[in-house]
Amino acid sequence: DAGVIQSPRHEVTEMGQEVTLRCKPISGHNSLFWYRQTMMRGLELLIYFNNNVPIDDSGMPEDRFSAKMPNASFSTLKIQPSEPRDSAVYFCASRVVAGGGTQYFGPGTRLTVL
Amino acid sequence: SQQGEEDPQALSIQEGENATMNCSYKTSINNLQWYRQNSGRGLVHLILIRSNEREKHSGRLRVTLDTSKKSSSLLITASRAADTASYFCATEEASGTYKYIFGTGTRLKVLA
């Protein structure tokens, strides 16, 4: 199994630009999570989906952030417009929702907003 | 909000010694997982313990769970330099939301 795939691995952009992060979960997993990790705030859950439906987006910092999951094998996290304080590592993770399944993480996207 | 709080925040030991990290949480849980993160890398799952379990082993890892105290511990025996990493606990709340909440992490440094 290829594991959770994220792209790009690194993204450098200028303030005000749109940023799109991509994630492909592990095949057969029906729950997908987006996290953000910074030194100051640690690992924060932004949003998660069950069966492609957003369940809890209370962690999304503000309206500049949006996430979609159009099908079981693809999700995006979009920031528009981006700001320097959005600089962080963004992780995607997936799991089988029932039965307390293990959550597997992707390698992360390191975002730098100048 | 942070569900889990790891203790200590940082730990430095000599190779061959045992390392113990603790995690406390606030709400009832279905299970608890421990993850390792090497610097600049993603999180790697180490072990999962369910709420009806009290202890679990995996290689040099031993995890305990005390639901009455809402706490868990991770013991790494005979530590190696390669164990140097940050360790996080993550709890799945029993509220049926299926989401994991991560703690603040313990930074472990194993000196060769």
Side-chain angles (χ1 to χ4, degrees):
Chain A
D1 196 325
V4 177
I5 299 172
Q6 290 187 247
S7 65
R9 295 292 309 276
H10 301 272
E11 177 80 28
V12 180
T13 190
E14 293 189 347
M15 183 174 64
Q17 296 296 307
E18 176 181 303
V19 175
T20 299
L21 311 181
R22 298 173 177 79
C23 175
K24 177 179 170 56
I26 292 172
S27 177
H29 285 190
N30 54 0
S31 189
L32 183 141
F33 304 79
W34 282 101
Y35 292 87
R36 177 172 69 176
Q37 187 177 39
T38 62
M39 288 294 293
M40 292 296 295
R41 300 176 68 87
L43 196 63
E44 303 173 277
L45 176 64
L46 300 177
I47 185 171
Y48 76 99
F49 297 82
N50 283 347
N51 297 313
N52 312 338
V53 177
I55 302 299
D56 185 346
D57 65 355
S58 60
M60 297 285 261
E62 48 198 272
D63 292 345
R64 297 184 297 106
F65 285 69
S66 63
K68 294 182 180 180
M69 191 164 186
N71 56 61
S73 59
F74 184 65
S75 177
T76 59
L77 178 68
K78 184 178 292 186
I79 308 172
Q80 181 184 22
S82 58
E83 297 182 3
R85 59 192 169 121
D86 301 331
S87 297
V89 181
Y90 291 81
F91 289 103
C92 175
S94 72
R95 61 174 284 198
V96 175
V97 69
T102 297
Q103 190 171 224
Y104 294 91
F105 280 76
T109 295
R110 182 174 296 277
L111 174 64
T112 302
V113 183
L114 303 174
Chain B
S1 62
Q2 296 286 358
Q3 159 80 310
E5 296 288 335
E6 280 93 337
D7 168 56
Q9 290 189 338
L11 180 61
S12 185
I13 60 174
Q14 295 291 326
E15 204 167 29
E17 294 181 339
N18 295 343
T20 300
M21 289 159 268
N22 303 295
C23 168
S24 60
Y25 56 92
K26 299 174 184 174
T27 64
S28 296
I29 63 172
N30 291 329
N31 61 70
L32 183 147
Q33 301 191 38
W34 284 91
Y35 287 82
R36 182 186 73 228
Q37 184 179 34
N38 291 87
S39 180
R41 308 291 291 274
L43 283 84
V44 175
H45 176 257
L46 295 176
I47 196 164
L48 179 152
I49 186 166
R50 301 189 188 282
S51 60
N52 61 354
E53 298 174 311
R54 291 298 166 256
E55 187 171 314
K56 227 172 171 182
H57 296 257
S58 177
R60 294 184 296 112
L61 306 180
R62 173 178 169 255
V63 170
T64 62
L65 178 64
D66 187 335
T67 53
S68 67
K69 295 181 179 179
K70 290 186 170 59
S71 67
S72 173
S73 67
L74 170 67
L75 168 68
I76 303 174
T77 60
S79 63
R80 306 165 181 168
D83 295 327
T84 295
S86 291
Y87 292 81
F88 295 88
C89 68
T91 51
E92 182 189 74
E93 297 176 339
S95 57
T97 60
Y98 300 113
K99 67 181 181 181
Y100 280 98
I101 303 297
F102 280 76
T104 52
T106 292
R107 295 187 307 280
L108 172 66
K109 186 170 186 178
V110 181
L111 304 171

